[in-house]
């Protein structure tokens, strides 16, 4: 087996892993620039689109990315990134194992080590976005989803035809620290602002929003939402989606229903304990 991850503080690199006696040369450590070619090769063997996105990301930062090594060979990668809009929330980054190292429990080991680090950071929940793309009739992410579920992750959201016409989005939640929270009291309302391209999708669009202010009283919310939907159509979008906080959702969700949006699930305790992220989608 591999040595345990080193623990780190938020915004600082974890300590180098302590390889136990009898297992010299195997372990997990923070990713370095020298690891990039090997990591990209591992990712590309699984998903070419992920590899292209990872290549661009690694040019900017390797923060909170880790590799598993066996001697001088990199055999796996994992990592996470924080959500700036949520309190102590992280998303799983690229997590892949070299095909030659499959069957050794490395995927579970990487995830367990990452969870330990995130717990040290004070992260409440880890969210995992994946798909159900099929090759030769088989879901290529089936093994990964089985691993997440075996580790206690729950699928909280499924959106059909999200990443592409034949691929849904599945979002799993893994609780890192125990928390109990009820429903937060309504805190106001929101207005939809603009339209942006949905990341990692083939022609998807996302509605952005802001908290309702007194000056927004003159806005015709229905008319503005209609214009945004038509803008998405004009740009050739396949769908329009919205992800909104539960404590500001009441009035906005009435409008979404009127325009044919469908509710697809909530990420529980997302923005903070008791405030969930509610997802809606309209296929065009």
């Amino acid at each position: 087996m591999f040595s345990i991850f080193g623990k780190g503080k938020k915004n600082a690199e974890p300590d180098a892993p302590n390889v136990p006696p009898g297992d010299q040369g195997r372990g997990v450590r923070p990713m370095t620039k020298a690891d990039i070619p090997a990591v990209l090769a591992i990712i590309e063997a699984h998903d070419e689109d992920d590899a292209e996105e990872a290549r661009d990301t690694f040019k900017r930062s390797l923060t909170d990315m880790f590799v598993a090594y066996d001697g001088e060979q990199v055999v796996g990668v994992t990592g996470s990134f924080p959500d700036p809009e949520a309190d102590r929330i992280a998303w799983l980054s690229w997590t892949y194992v070299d095909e030659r190292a499959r069957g050794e429990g490395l995927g579970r080991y990487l995830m367990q080590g990452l969870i330990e680090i995130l717990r040290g950071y004070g992260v409440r929940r880890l969210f995992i976005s994946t798909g159900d793309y099929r090759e030769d009739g088989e879901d290529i992410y089936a093994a990964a989803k089985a691993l997440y579920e075996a580790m206690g992750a729950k699928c909280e959201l499924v959106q059909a035809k999200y990443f592409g016409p034949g691929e849904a989005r599945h979002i799993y939640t893994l609780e890192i620290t125990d928390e109990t929270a009820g429903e937060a009291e309504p805190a106001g309302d929101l207005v939809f602002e603009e339209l942006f391209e949905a990341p990692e999708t083939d022609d998807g669009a996302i509605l952005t929003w802001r908290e309702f202010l007194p000056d927004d009283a003159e806005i015709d919310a229905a008319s503005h939402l209609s214009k945004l939907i038509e803008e998405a159509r004009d740009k050739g979008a396949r769908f329009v989606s919205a992800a909104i906080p539960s404590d500001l959702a009441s009035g906005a969700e009435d409008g979404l229903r009127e325009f044919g949006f469908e509710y697809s699930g909530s990420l529980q305790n997302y923005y903070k304990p008791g405030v969930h992220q509610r997802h809606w989608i309209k296929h065009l």
Side-chain angles (χ1 to χ4, degrees):
M1 287 300 295
F2 288 76
S3 65
I4 196 67
F5 281 65
K7 291 185 178 180
K9 296 181 179 179
K10 188 63 176 172
N11 298 324
E13 286 192 349
D15 299 332
N18 178 26
V19 182
D23 199 18
Q24 296 294 333
R26 307 185 82 189
V28 178
R29 57 171 170 75
M31 183 176 168
T32 69
K33 290 183 178 180
D35 299 321
I36 291 177
V39 167
L40 290 177
I42 291 173
I43 298 174
E44 189 168 12
H46 294 271
D47 190 312
E48 293 182 359
D49 291 337
D50 272 6
E52 189 61 33
E53 184 180 354
R55 181 176 288 105
D56 292 338
T57 299
F58 294 160
K59 291 177 182 178
R60 300 189 298 271
S61 174
L62 298 178
T63 301
D64 291 334
M65 294 298 301
F66 305 91
V67 295
Y69 61 88
D70 187 354
E72 297 183 358
Q73 182 180 1
V74 172
V75 293
V77 61
T78 192
S80 68
F81 57 92
D83 190 319
E85 296 184 353
D87 174 38
R88 294 180 292 125
I89 290 300
W91 286 84
L92 184 68
S93 189
W94 300 284
T95 299
Y96 289 106
V97 173
D98 191 315
E99 291 286 351
R100 293 167 292 184
R102 292 186 64 180
E104 298 181 12
L106 181 54
R108 176 183 287 270
Y109 175 76
L110 282 167
M111 288 290 295
Q112 289 173 333
L114 181 63
I115 289 168
E116 181 180 331
I117 289 174
L118 294 177
R119 187 173 289 119
Y121 287 172
V123 169
R124 296 185 297 109
R125 289 182 168 234
L126 176 67
F127 289 95
I128 306 165
S129 177
T130 187
D132 59 2
Y133 184 77
R134 293 181 175 274
E135 287 185 356
D136 300 324
E138 294 188 10
D139 181 349
I140 66 171
Y141 299 112
K145 287 183 283 193
L147 172 61
Y148 305 148
E149 291 170 2
M151 299 190 70
K154 297 179 180 179
C155 186
E156 293 191 322
L157 183 150
V158 177
Q159 289 179 313
K161 298 184 287 186
Y162 188 88
F163 292 117
E167 184 179 3
R169 174 168 71 159
H170 299 242
I171 298 184
Y172 285 80
T173 303
L174 187 59
E175 191 172 285
I176 304 298
T177 57
D178 294 334
E179 60 183 3
T180 57
E183 294 289 334
E185 294 293 328
D189 213 332
L190 61 81
V191 291
F192 293 111
E193 282 194 296
E194 298 180 79
L195 203 67
F196 284 93
E197 182 179 348
E200 301 183 66
T201 70
D202 180 12
D203 302 325
I206 292 177
L207 291 169
T208 65
W209 58 269
R210 71 170 186 272
E211 192 167 355
F212 186 88
L213 301 173
D215 291 344
D216 295 323
E218 298 181 359
I219 295 178
D220 183 339
S223 177
H224 185 58
L225 179 56
S226 177
K227 288 178 181 179
L228 290 173
I229 294 171
E230 288 307 310
E231 179 185 341
R233 282 198 176 97
D234 291 343
K235 292 180 177 179
R238 292 184 298 104
F239 68 82
V240 181
S241 69
I244 58 181
S246 57
D247 60 340
L248 302 177
S250 180
E253 292 188 337
D254 290 340
L256 292 172
R257 288 190 189 92
E258 290 178 8
F259 280 92
F261 283 75
E262 296 181 353
Y263 173 69
S264 49
S266 291
L267 304 184
Q268 296 295 300
N269 301 315
Y270 186 86
Y271 293 100
K272 60 183 181 180
V275 181
H276 322 304
Q277 188 180 63
R278 293 175 59 83
H279 286 252
W280 293 78
I281 191 166
K282 176 182 176 66
H283 293 282
L284 303 177

